Amino acid sequence: MAEITLNSLAHTYSDNPTKPEDYAIREMQHIWHQGGAYALLGPSGCGKSTLLNIISGLLEPSDGEVLFDGKRVNELKPEERNIAQVFQFPVVYDTMTVYDNLAFPLRNIGVPEHKIRSKVLEVAEILELSDQLKRKAKGLSADQKQKVSMGRGLVRDDVSAILFDEPLTVIDPQLKWKLRRKLKQIHEQFNITMVYVTHDQLEASTFADKIAVMYQGQIVQFGTPRELFENPAHTFVGYFIGSPGMNFIDATVTEKELSFGTHTLPLHPLLLKRLQDMDAQQVKVGIRPEFVHVWDGANDDAFLVDVDFVEDLGTYKILTFNFHGILMKARLSEDQKVPQGKAYVSFPEQWTKVYVNEFLVEVDHD
Amino acid sequence: MTKVENNKAWWLVMPVFLIVAFSAIIPLMTVVNYSVQDIFDPYTRYFVGTEWFKQVMTDSRLHDALIRQFIYSFTILAIEIPLGIAVALMMPTKGRGASLALILVAIPLLIPWNVVGTIWQIFGRADIGLFGAMMAELGINYNYASEPMHAWLTVVLMDVWHWTPLVALLCYSGLRAIPEVYYQAARIDKASRWAVFRYIQLPKLTNVLIIGVLLRFMDSFMIYTEPFVLTGGGPGTSTTFLSQSLVQQAIGQFDLGPAAAFSLVYFLIILLVCWVFYTTIMNMQKDK
């Protein structure tokens, strides 16, 4: 059981890094609290696995510290850190039975055989492997193998955290869901810190209480799935979370308002003041397709736009429209009237976010 | 869908059949032909049935050679396989060292059999050979030309020197094929160095080891050149192995009938032992 702190952590694979791009992990400050279920979400190559391997000790960070419960563990090898890690491809010891596989980590630290037995049986029960215990691990299916490799992490009492590196990649879709639920149950039962690396937003949000979104070696936002959806802290989060992703429009700050194209957007005075103070150059306005309001007829707030096409996705439709040369999307509910040719849309202020240099700018409204 | 009967497809296997016929079956049939007849000249021959086989099976000289042969083959397997694995485990995996090690290890494999025999013949002599001189310095009266045990050990040593690299290279390639993630998982499971070898490396090496064992068994079971060059099968009969006996019988005494019968028995023994090895190893891996 441990709280994992990453203190000014950075990592590079290059020998003499000069620019931020040379870093696989850019300097970060982060805390994984004891007992949390976390997901580390990001596209391929953003540094997720690197970060995970640094926590488990398979990789030594080039800068900064990893702390377990406040104690520096940089110099400790993986075997000294009491961490369990489940890899993308299931690792089982082929020649051993399932029982021996599960018992392996305990035998390595010299636990007496009767204790091993009760622990292995308990974990096998939870993972629904009880009837497979006498089989050779080699003959198991991919999902069973992955359960065995998870089980090897669960048998140890001393485990501070379990790290999952895209563990469901090789599992069939219908089993994925079952295994993910299993993981969730295990988390509730054992109260172990779990960090789950994935590039699948659905996987992340069903598993984790809080998600850390990684992009170009940085954690750009750490929050609940709902926060990531409603209030993306970075344009990448807006784009990566949600389907389809957030709409973005380049904008400029003027004296009274925010303008894009020939249109303007009224802003909260405090936010406007802040933007003006920042002398912000790269400004973007973002709004989720779910929050774009499509009206049935003209009204004062609505802009008239050209409809490009409408995709029917079963329970809802996605309307793609052209707003001053920028293609934007809006989500229509099933029973909503589908606009033909032209449409009236508006952007509710509450859901219209302003980004400067890709990061969200916010003010306290109260 | 109904299956279409088309016997013309057999023509497609014809080329393979012809090649195998000319390369293996027809030559083998010649031997079978000799083994059941007493042939004096192209026009004079008598069918003798299993006569030659009976003679071969009861020949005590051949029995001795067979026993000698088995002891020899199992000795070199018992040395070369573990030694080859050990060498492979010690070889560097990255950088210049890796290429250098590969070249050094592969050198003995490039030397022809009779040259290996000659090298050791000279190397082992106390008057002009380094190894012989070294043994003499150590106070060991090493002389392969007069001591049967020394001759036998020299042949074993020669083979180990010549062929352990083959096993080592096979294992090296097998080890390189193990994904890094297995080692990472083992570290997380706090596995000892021995456990990593026993439960990860050795199981993953099974396939290359099957090849290694079979190749080394067949080759060593047919060993001819090295003892022939070293001492011509002596001193006495200490290094007269099966092929040596066969050659003596076929070419030395020109007893083609018994020699042919002997060849077939020899062939069947190799086939049988390989089959036993193969099925044993495969069964060891099976899911119980």
Side-chain angles (χ1 to χ4, degrees), chain A residues 45-253:
Chain A
C46 71
K48 310 181 294 267
S49 297
T50 304
L51 188 59
L52 211 62
N53 288 342
I54 286 174
I55 296 173
S56 64
L58 292 170
L59 211 68
E60 205 185 321
S62 34
D63 298 285
E65 292 182 310
V66 181
L67 309 170
F68 285 10
D69 283 333
K71 264 178 33 204
R72 180 181 157 103
V73 294
N74 280 37
E75 286 73 28
L76 294 186
K77 294 190 201 122
E79 50 268 43
E80 298 162 337
R81 285 193 193 187
N82 297 328
I83 277 257
Q85 190 167 356
V86 178
F87 298 91
Q88 188 168 3
F89 295 97
V91 176
V92 293
Y93 304 105
D94 287 344
T95 50
M96 292 191 213
T97 60
V98 172
Y99 181 93
D100 290 335
N101 257 282
L102 294 176
F104 188 61
L106 297 178
R107 285 184 181 148
N108 287 335
I109 49 176
V111 175
E113 204 63 31
H114 66 275
K115 280 194 187 160
I116 293 181
R117 187 167 175 76
S118 63
K119 193 76 199 177
V120 167
L121 292 181
E122 181 196 337
V123 169
E125 188 67 44
I126 294 165
L127 292 171
E128 294 164 26
L129 285 169
S130 301
D131 51 339
Q132 309 282 342
L133 285 174
K134 290 201 175 68
R135 280 185 70 184
K136 281 262 168 83
K138 194 182 181 182
L140 298 176
S141 61
D143 61 302
Q144 287 172 326
K145 282 185 181 175
Q146 199 58 299
K147 281 205 263 186
V148 171
S149 39
M150 274 178 214
R152 285 206 313 271
L154 294 172
V155 289
R156 279 159 51 191
D157 288 323
D158 61 347
V159 163
S160 328
I162 306 187
L163 311 177
F164 297 92
D165 194 352
E166 308 198 24
L168 303 181
T169 311
V170 292
I171 312 293
D172 288 341
Q174 68 270 31
L175 289 169
K176 260 187 192 173
W177 198 80
K178 253 182 90 180
L179 268 179
R180 215 156 48 210
R181 287 210 28 109
K182 195 96 251 170
L183 276 182
K184 192 95 184 153
Q185 280 172 17
I186 289 167
H187 176 252
E188 280 153 16
Q189 211 166 341
F190 285 76
N191 187 32
I192 299 178
T193 313
M194 291 189 175
V195 181
Y196 187 107
V197 162
T198 178
H199 56 249
D200 181 339
Q201 51 169 313
L202 189 74
E203 229 172 86
S205 50
T206 48
F207 171 78
D209 307 327
K210 277 182 111 177
I211 300 175
V213 181
M214 253 188 114
Y215 177 62
Q216 293 184 342
Q218 288 169 293
I219 292 179
V220 287
Q221 188 169 11
F222 183 51
T224 63
R226 192 190 169 110
E227 283 164 1
L228 298 184
F229 184 77
E230 291 185 350
N231 213 17
H234 187 274
T235 52
F236 177 76
V237 179
Y239 154 81
F240 197 67
I241 308 279
S243 171
M246 208 170 193
N247 297 304
F248 291 103
I249 317 160
D250 290 322
T252 44
V253 182

Side-chain angles (χ1 to χ4, degrees), chain A residues 8 22 53 82 96 101 104 137 152 159 166 169 177 179 202 230 267 269-270 272 279 293 307 331 333 345-346 352 360:
Chain A
S8 316
D22 290 341
N53 288 342
N82 297 328
M96 292 191 213
N101 257 282
F104 188 61
R152 285 206 313 271
V159 163
E166 308 198 24
T169 311
W177 198 80
L179 268 179
L202 189 74
E230 291 185 350
L267 278 184
L270 282 173
L272 188 65
D279 190 21
H293 200 136
V307 174
R331 180 168 159 160
S333 54
V345 299
S346 70
T352 310
L360 179 68

Side-chain angles (χ1 to χ4, degrees), chain B residues 60-103:
Chain B
S60 67
R61 273 187 319 149
L62 291 181
H63 289 172
D64 292 347
L66 182 69
I67 293 166
R68 222 173 282 132
Q69 183 72 70
F70 267 116
I71 295 173
Y72 172 75
S73 286
F74 284 114
T75 307
I76 66 112
L77 280 181
I79 299 172
E80 287 177 15
I81 299 295
L83 189 61
I85 295 173
V87 171
L89 286 171
M90 284 185 297
M91 280 166 71
T93 56
K94 285 192 203 78
R96 273 167 167 262
S99 334
L100 197 69
L102 276 175
I103 294 168

Side-chain angles (χ1 to χ4, degrees), chain A residues 253-273:
Chain A
V253 182
T254 62
E255 256 169 62
K256 282 196 201 114
E257 63 237 325
L258 195 64
S259 72
F260 45 98
T262 54
H263 292 276
T264 58
L265 200 70
L267 278 184
H268 195 279
L270 282 173
L271 180 56
L272 188 65
K273 173 126 192 352

Side-chain angles (χ1 to χ4, degrees), chain A residues 309-339:
Chain A
F309 54 88
V310 178
E311 288 160 274
D312 194 338
L313 298 177
T315 52
Y316 61 92
K317 297 186 178 68
I318 298 293
L319 171 79
T320 304
F321 60 90
N322 191 324
F323 184 77
H324 298 289
I326 299 163
L327 285 184
M328 294 178 69
K329 291 178 191 295
R331 180 168 159 160
L332 302 173
S333 54
E334 204 176 3
D335 45 3
Q336 203 173 350
K337 202 179 123 194
V338 180

